[in-house]
Amino acid sequence: MNPFKEFRTVPDASSFAPVTLITETAAMRPDVFGGRAKCLQRLIRLQMPVPTTVALSFDAVRGIARGQMPDIGALMAPFGAAPLLSVRPSSLDPDWGGPGAILNIGLCDASHASLSASLGADVATKLYLQFIQIYATQVARLNPDAFHFDVRGGISAVRSALSAYEAEMDEPFPQDPAEQLSEVLRSMARTWEGTSARLLRQAKGAPSDAGLGLVVQTMAFGVGPGESGAGVIQFADSNTGAPRITGRYLSQSQGREALAAATGAIYLTHDTRGSSLEDENPAVFARLKAFGQIARTRLREEMQIEFTLSDGVLHIIDAVRVPRTVRAAVRIAVDLAESGIIPRDEAVHRIDVQAISAMLHRQVNPDAARDLILRAIGASPGAAHGKVVLTAEDAQAAAARGEAAILVRRETTPEDIRGMHAAAGVLTQRGGVTSHAAVVGRGLGVPCVVGASGLVIDRRGGRVIAPDGRVILAGDTITVDGFNGEVLAGEAPLREAQLDDAFQTLLAWADASRDIGIRANADTPRDARIASTFAAEGIGLCRTEHMFFEGDRIGMMREMIFAANSQERREVLGRLLPTQRQDFIRLFEIMNGKPVCIRLFDPPLHEFLPSDRAGMRDLADGLSLPLADVMARVEAMSEYNPMLGLRGVRLGITVPEIYEMQARAIFEATVAVSRDGLSVTPEIMIPLVSARREVQLVRGQIDAVASAVRAQSGVEFTYRLGVMVETPRAALRAGDIAQDVAFLSFGTNDLTQMTYGLSRDDAGRFMPAYLANQVFPDDPFHTLDLEGVGELLQIGAARARGSHQGVTLSVCGEHGGSAQTIAFCRKQGFDYVSCSPFRVPLARLAAAQIAIRERSSFPTASGKYL
Amino acid sequence: MNPFKEFRTVPDASSFAPVTLITETAAMRPDVFGGRAKCLQRLIRLQMPVPTTVALSFDAVRGIARGQMPDIGALMAPFGAAPLLSVRPSSLDPDWGGPGAILNIGLCDASHASLSASLGADVATKLYLQFIQIYATQVARLNPDAFHFDVRGGISAVRSALSAYEAEMDEPFPQDPAEQLSEVLRSMARTWEGTSARLLRQAKGAPSDAGLGLVVQTMAFGVGPGESGAGVIQFADSNTGAPRITGRYLSQSQGREALAAATGAIYLTHDTRGSSLEDENPAVFARLKAFGQIARTRLREEMQIEFTLSDGVLHIIDAVRVPRTVRAAVRIAVDLAESGIIPRDEAVHRIDVQAISAMLHRQVNPDAARDLILRAIGASPGAAHGKVVLTAEDAQAAAARGEAAILVRRETTPEDIRGMHAAAGVLTQRGGVTSHAAVVGRGLGVPCVVGASGLVIDRRGGRVIAPDGRVILAGDTITVDGFNGEVLAGEAPLREAQLDDAFQTLLAWADASRDIGIRANADTPRDARIASTFAAEGIGLCRTEHMFFEGDRIGMMREMIFAANSQERREVLGRLLPTQRQDFIRLFEIMNGKPVCIRLFDPPLHEFLPSDRAGMRDLADGLSLPLADVMARVEAMSEYNPMLGLRGVRLGITVPEIYEMQARAIFEATVAVSRDGLSVTPEIMIPLVSARREVQLVRGQIDAVASAVRAQSGVEFTYRLGVMVETPRAALRAGDIAQDVAFLSFGTNDLTQMTYGLSRDDAGRFMPAYLANQVFPDDPFHTLDLEGVGELLQIGAARARGSHQGVTLSVCGEHGGSAQTIAFCRKQGFDYVSCSPFRVPLARLAAAQIAIRERSSFPTASGKYL
């Protein structure tokens, strides 16, 4: 649900007349009468030939459902004597569902007779029969089987239908138009209040008190003498948003029959494939084109118009916004702004932030055939195909061979991260949208399907068994669709991300309007390139851990862990230095002078040690140590709660050689790129700080390395030192800490874990139950907990600024890219948020919308109505 | 160090004359001139015959060390012509060390001649020789080997000494008393400023700028004609504090020689063992007794008086507070108050809180011979002997047989807690004062020695090897002394805790003065009995976990974990209910109507599962399940960070049957004791809360159980529901949560872990380095972190009171008993603190002292000086 799709409470809502003839000047508001009623009034104001229409307000319809029928005589007065009418629903959002339209109300023996004279007997009889059938089944709720009468039966079929009605109802078919209308209104009102309709619309995000309005309109017949018919026209392509007239017209039809008709409907514009309205009735076509232009300019939107010709006379029955894909929405908004019809800010404001995610990733081609293996939870958007691998190691091996792999696991753990990095897609048997696989997948931009509980993984057998019994061997190719959670056999055709010109234009406008920075969390050159493509203003969080896991680096890390003393540690780390320096050079080059914030080594060292006996034996061989020594060291280094153990700055202080090496690599990389003419001021971030003294100690260490590198290279450079605020204490003591640093970046993932006393890796076992019982309104790892974690951000930011006016404040972590977090951070005066690369465009757009909303109040239509 | 031993900064300290003759009216303050100078002035005011004394201030002595010697002529003027003088140190606290006294300054050829006339040649020569020796070695710092001259050598020995001096110094022995005095002063001043003296006193808690004063006094000779001699007298027993005159007098001696003399010294009071001052010189004895009485009354303290008889004339040289054990300190303070000499509050205020810990535990009899095996860190006070056991299971088995056991482990883990409960004492090879063993040991009141790094534990061989190579077999008896960290062979004789009448009286007075409640953390009937003995006002934290580990209960817990559904879980828990109910009945009975706050089940369920293959096989047998199923379940339940996982209220909500059973057991126990006439309002505490809704859900559950028990029993009762505030979020949201509860108790252990992002179990690997580098000023698990965790307490307390005026606030956890925590909680308006039972007396005393300090300003002497 779009959280902004709210209307202000109306203090004078009750002052609207519940039943109102729609005129140019009648009081008519969408939150009182619904979107359709409001749109019809707009068409009337634009002088379009809309038949006489009366609107019933939400309150009026609620009254009807409770048995309070309005004065039907008064309601029908505007329609003159013996009118024929249609009734259509008019809720706030048509996506919420509602009763179908009912046409030709008022048809009875008497009007049938007069209609036979004006439209011809066949047409009149057909309309009467259809009306009796609709009325009997939709309004009186009679068994449809009793009303299967063929229209070719003519008047005798009508008589049979009338008899059938009387037989079922014990009373004759109502001949009074007022009675028919009353019953239609009552039926529609009650349908809306029914439990199933209520559940259905609430599932789509409707509030529990969503109202239904109704519009009663004089029938414009598309049947009868002369040129009569009905059609639908629009002026922009629903798929691409490009200017293009599409639609259908069907002679001798009513409503939207033209769209559904198998044969007989014609094109609108001149078309080599068949006849068209433009050719056959150029005057009417020209008037429709003119109406489209007026609607576009005056309603400031691309509209789809429903029209009827009655004996050559054009009526505009209804209009809705052109249905559109997100790609089309972007193109239409940009075109309207470029035409000067809406301001750029409004174009930016119109786009649904979440929806654009679909444009950023590859998708399974929607037109291609799908060989579905299973359907589970789409947890990280995008589609990918590759060969099935069952271990992280195999995924890395495949990546090394240049092959795309889909990593299939029961669930993923931190040990699998390298494999996930290497994989094209991930499929897990367990977990939900906040599982490890899901969170990491989104962070990496790796398509991910989770919770495939019907899947059997036979790792030893090197195969998986699908819910339908199909066996997929390791090495077989499958496709995962992280949008809808589908897993397909073979290599499904993919459609690339749709970063077209309109998208780029829109985001450029968004950047002009937003007032908070957006950076990307990027650990690898690949991440950095994506960040750069999406115009991130820098890297807000570069985690350096992965740099120690790759290839033979982990071997060196293990050697370092087993080193006897500081000198030996330095020696081993010295061998890692050149590759690490190269890592940073690549990042600096890709980011081309934009800031890069590098977090120093964070994980506990035991993550680098093997956990099984075989791995320990290998390690013992490699280090020429007794196995018992290796096992003893591994055991000694294990921790009860690694999250709360010897990691981050604690490691930096107790094993200072690692940070020294990293600082040297960063500074040497800075020097290297500066020799190539690139000016870089690296940002170095200390993780897991809880006391100011930690910062001071590490700062002394890093300053010394900087001085040494300056002296050795003869190149001057500066750097900015900061901390990652992940412990509640660091937030509380931000006033102290800020005095020693250039920036504070709030790591909301860990901060949430510590504020709740809740490990994300372990929360999965009860979080679903907690959300179901509304113990937590949202998963705090998914939606930033403003009341708890947010208050710590607020306290931290205020104290940091209080003691160090110019300190840079930011948020990095899963939450960083969400509109809610951005709005919160902006209000607290944060300088930027940093999020996973694929969220950067969403964040740029969301940030712009928040800024725009603060200074403008654009209408916030969504769904079909204006 | 006593944190209260502070003197206010003196704005006019510089206005004191740096060299001052001590008179009744001279300005003389201990923080300017030191404690000895001040005490001498007091004696003078009491009209005691104190020889002429001049005091040098701290500033004067600092000046001397820098080479600024005061005007020696002016300094010596009050002593008349050719004086003989002593110089003694006068720092703020004599425990900080300092130079030794130097007597007979001014002895030279000339004074030797006149002294030979007045005192006799032998005496004068002996004094001169001794002075030359002291001066040469202590002041001129010459090699003592060069000054070994026998006093029986008479005047020729003096000449040899003078020659030796001149040979070593290239100048003659100074014959000018002023020069001698200058050199003595300079030597003492420089010694004080020396590095080793500085380190030594700082180790004893002296501030870095601690000053040394000096007192220069006319010598009263205890040698010479008539009745001459010197002695020391006191009127209260140093060991027990009981009224008793003790001391020694030695004819023809100076200073404190009587105390050191092997022979010749006599008793003071009439004594069947030998002669006494009372018998030999009843007049002097009577005067000394009178002086003691005056000192006691007017100085409001039991003093030890140093006196000299010079030819029958009594001089009072010095007086210090009677040296005393803590037991004596309590008795003396109580006696003074009961004599009306000091107010009760002052008596309470005088006792060092930490020191009384020694009275609460058994101690190795200090007079007994000790067969020392090793000396390590005394981490939990008390002494115990028992048979060596090497596993927690063996400790439990020994306890079951009624045998005392000493559990010897490399280090302890949570799995050892039951073993520690069962053991009489604990010895670990690793860890420091905040290790698991230390913390748990203190909590349980089990004597504990940790960090015995020289110990080799050969578990398979069933033996341990001492650092000296001695082999101790499992089953051998050893004694651990948790006060001083000693481990002794065999069964050393123990002295019981000394909870004498004076102690009880003092604590009763403390209770009358304190204004914050003190409860005990007590999990077992044994704990509760100790709590009751120490007059805790209730149980503030009863952890119920252990109730599920004992005996065959763990088997039922495992069955419960493997239950297929809620019905099966209820069935298994139903079998635990009677024993659990009995647990609560015993606690209620022991606490006899005092409040008992029961924390509902907290640990993760996987703690109840076996961790090794053998245990899993046993479990599979017991449950008739395939081993693979058991292993799969154990694996599925393991957690990355158990501290942050599925435990506490999260378990209460997702597996509600456990809390239901516990609530039923509590209520049925309440009903049972009420039938025996005991009125109990149980307090039920929910652990690990982070959101209000958690409380509401559990409350609904417990209310339902209460209603059911009321209906079934026909007995009315009430209960109080509260939460344990352990997560930072609970503190921040205390305003919400307080609306649904009767009390909030802050669990500062877990709150510290989460605020710092630091697991206590894992902190040991870097905490020593952190403390050594002063990254943290104190171990936050030992000393409450007021800046971080304390602020959360403050926020939580203020918000809770803000939304629920009458809500009860408390702190439970390791920190609860410390004076610093009590002072903080009292200031924040907390109702009580709860601490381990053995800390209760300390907490009562500390709380009283804090309250007393707020309304009175008693002098805060400690050490020897007044």
Side-chain angles (χ1 to χ4, degrees), chain A residues 232-238 240-248 266-271 273 276-278 284-293 302-305 307 322:
Chain A
V232 165
I233 186 170
Q234 67 185 53
F235 306 88
D237 187 276
S238 283
T240 65
R244 180 170 156 241
I245 296 176
T246 58
R248 278 289 186 280
I266 63 171
Y267 296 102
L268 294 179
T269 51
H270 174 75
D271 199 301
R273 290 170 296 175
S276 69
L277 187 65
E278 183 173 20
V284 164
F285 180 75
R287 277 191 77 196
L288 285 172
K289 267 181 68 176
F291 283 153
Q293 190 53 42
E302 288 292 350
M303 300 299 288
Q304 185 192 60
I305 296 170
F307 62 95
V322 164

Side-chain angles (χ1 to χ4, degrees), chain A residues 644 729 756 759 785 791 799, chain B residues 644 650 759 785 791 799:
Chain A
L644 308 177
R729 195 174 193 279
Y756 275 88
S759 153
D785 161 44
E791 185 177 10
R799 292 183 182 178
Chain B
L644 309 177
R650 298 164 190 163
S759 151
D785 161 45
E791 186 177 8
R799 292 183 181 177

Side-chain angles (χ1 to χ4, degrees), chain B residues 398-426:
Chain B
R401 291 191 303 270
E403 291 172 5
I406 305 294
L407 177 60
V408 182
R409 300 283 288 160
R410 197 168 61 167
E411 62 196 334
T412 63
T413 68
E415 291 170 2
D416 292 318
I417 288 182
R418 283 166 288 156
M420 294 180 71
H421 247 290
V426 174

Side-chain angles (χ1 to χ4, degrees), chain B residues 524-590:
Chain B
T524 62
R526 179 185 150 220
D527 293 344
R529 270 188 292 270
I530 297 168
S532 203
T533 303
F534 289 148
E537 289 162 285
I539 292 177
L541 172 61
C542 171
R543 287 166 286 237
T544 53
E545 288 78 86
H546 76 97
M547 301 178 178
F548 296 90
F549 277 111
E550 279 169 14
D552 57 351
R553 300 187 189 184
I554 191 168
M556 286 191 239
M557 282 304 281
R558 288 173 175 174
E559 218 179 308
M560 193 276 291
I561 292 168
F562 278 85
N565 54 43
S566 172
Q567 188 50 44
E568 277 187 37
R569 277 194 291 275
R570 282 218 172 76
E571 191 277 318
V572 181
L573 288 164
R575 284 186 272 142
L576 272 170
L577 176 66
T579 50
Q580 176 107 129
R581 182 176 54 222
Q582 194 53 39
D583 291 332
F584 294 129
I585 288 175
R586 286 171 72 196
L587 287 179
F588 291 157
E589 286 173 349
I590 293 167

Side-chain angles (χ1 to χ4, degrees), chain B residues 413-478:
Chain B
T413 68
E415 291 170 2
D416 292 318
I417 288 182
R418 283 166 288 156
M420 294 180 71
H421 247 290
V426 174
L427 167 62
T428 71
Q429 187 197 43
R430 298 190 182 178
V433 290
T434 60
S435 68
H436 179 269
V439 171
V440 174
R442 287 195 293 271
L444 298 175
V446 172
C448 183
V449 172
V450 302
S453 52
L455 197 69
V456 176
I457 301 178
D458 174 10
R459 208 176 69 186
R460 291 197 187 161
R463 57 182 196 162
V464 295
I465 302 164
D468 64 1
R470 232 191 297 192
V471 172
I472 299 142
L473 298 176
D476 287 357
T477 295
I478 61 172

Side-chain angles (χ1 to χ4, degrees), chain A residues 158-507:
Chain A
V158 169
R159 287 207 196 89
S160 305
L162 289 172
S163 303
Y165 184 93
E166 190 163 352
E168 295 282 333
M169 294 290 288
D170 279 339
E171 57 182 35
F173 186 79
Q175 293 295 324
D176 177 3
E179 186 187 347
Q180 290 179 2
L181 181 60
S182 296
E183 290 306 314
V184 167
L185 296 178
R186 190 188 335 267
S187 159
M188 287 186 169
R190 289 193 173 156
T191 301
W192 181 256
E193 298 292 339
T195 305
S196 62
R198 187 186 295 270
L199 290 177
L200 212 63
R201 65 177 174 264
Q202 285 180 11
K204 292 190 171 176
S208 59
D209 63 345
L212 176 71
L214 293 171
V215 292
V216 185
Q217 194 178 58
T218 299
M219 279 303 296
F221 293 106
V223 290
E227 182 48 45
S228 292
V232 165
I233 186 170
Q234 67 185 53
F235 306 88
D237 187 276
S238 283
N239 193 33
T240 65
R244 180 170 156 241
I245 296 176
T246 58
R248 278 289 186 280
Y249 172 74
L250 180 60
S251 201
Q252 295 298 327
S253 76
Q254 291 190 316
R256 293 178 158 249
E257 287 169 22
L259 294 180
T263 59
I266 63 171
Y267 296 102
L268 294 179
T269 51
H270 174 75
D271 199 301
T272 52
R273 290 170 296 175
S275 53
S276 69
L277 187 65
E278 183 173 20
D279 295 336
E280 295 194 355
N281 202 333
V284 164
F285 180 75
R287 277 191 77 196
L288 285 172
K289 267 181 68 176
F291 283 153
Q293 190 53 42
I294 290 170
R296 183 171 191 262
T297 312
R298 301 284 302 280
L299 300 185
R300 310 162 69 253
E301 183 50 284
E302 288 292 350
M303 300 299 288
Q304 185 192 60
I305 296 170
E306 190 179 325
F307 62 95
T308 299
L309 283 177
S310 289
D311 198 5
V313 178
L314 181 61
H315 300 280
I316 301 298
I317 304 303
D318 199 9
V320 296
R321 295 170 69 242
V322 164
R324 62 198 73 182
T325 63
V326 62
R327 185 180 167 203
V330 170
R331 173 70 189 265
I332 288 170
V334 168
D335 281 355
L336 286 171
E338 289 189 331
S339 305
I341 294 170
I342 60 172
R344 289 176 173 185
D345 271 3
E346 188 169 0
V348 169
H349 189 248
R350 283 190 179 183
I351 305 304
D352 178 15
V353 171
Q354 291 312 315
I356 68 166
S357 171
M359 302 179 69
L360 309 178
H361 299 273
R362 297 204 292 180
Q363 288 181 279
V364 175
N365 192 324
D367 304 327
R370 300 188 154 213
D371 180 2
L372 189 69
I373 295 173
L374 62 86
R375 187 177 283 118
I377 302 166
S380 173
H385 41 60
K387 294 183 173 176
V388 167
V389 295
L390 302 179
T391 67
E393 291 69 31
D394 290 347
Q396 289 177 277
R401 292 191 304 269
E403 291 174 5
I406 306 294
L407 177 61
V408 182
R409 301 282 288 159
R410 198 168 62 169
E411 63 195 332
T412 63
T413 68
E415 292 171 2
D416 293 316
I417 287 182
R418 285 166 285 156
M420 295 180 72
H421 248 289
V426 174
L427 167 62
T428 70
Q429 188 196 41
R430 299 190 182 179
V433 290
T434 60
S435 68
H436 180 267
V439 171
V440 173
R442 286 194 295 271
L444 298 174
V446 173
C448 184
V449 172
V450 301
S453 51
L455 198 69
V456 175
I457 301 178
D458 173 9
R459 209 176 69 184
R460 291 197 186 161
R463 57 181 196 161
V464 296
I465 303 164
D468 65 0
R470 232 191 298 190
V471 173
I472 300 143
L473 298 176
D476 287 357
T477 295
I478 62 171
T479 302
V480 291
D481 183 338
F483 287 106
N484 60 11
E486 288 184 355
V487 178
L488 310 173
E491 188 174 320
L494 302 183
R495 196 170 68 180
E496 290 302 313
Q498 303 167 308
L499 307 177
D500 58 16
D501 288 350
F503 178 82
Q504 304 290 10
T505 302
L506 187 89
L507 283 182

Side-chain angles (χ1 to χ4, degrees), chain A residues 410 413 640-644 650 694 728-729 754-759 761-762 766 770 775 785 791 799, chain B residues 413 635 640-644 650 694 728-729 754-759 761-762 766 770 775 785 791 799:
Chain A
R410 198 168 62 169
T413 68
Y640 297 105
N641 295 285
M643 166 75 51
L644 308 177
R650 297 163 192 165
E694 293 173 321
R729 195 174 193 279
M754 291 169 191
T755 304
Y756 275 88
L758 176 53
S759 153
D761 293 326
D762 300 313
F766 65 91
Y770 255 51
V775 185
D785 161 44
E791 185 177 10
R799 292 183 182 178
Chain B
T413 68
E635 196 206 322
Y640 297 106
N641 294 286
M643 165 75 51
L644 309 177
R650 298 164 190 163
E694 292 173 322
R729 195 174 192 280
M754 290 169 192
T755 304
Y756 275 89
L758 176 53
S759 151
D761 292 327
D762 300 313
F766 64 92
Y770 255 50
V775 185
D785 161 45
E791 186 177 8
R799 292 183 181 177

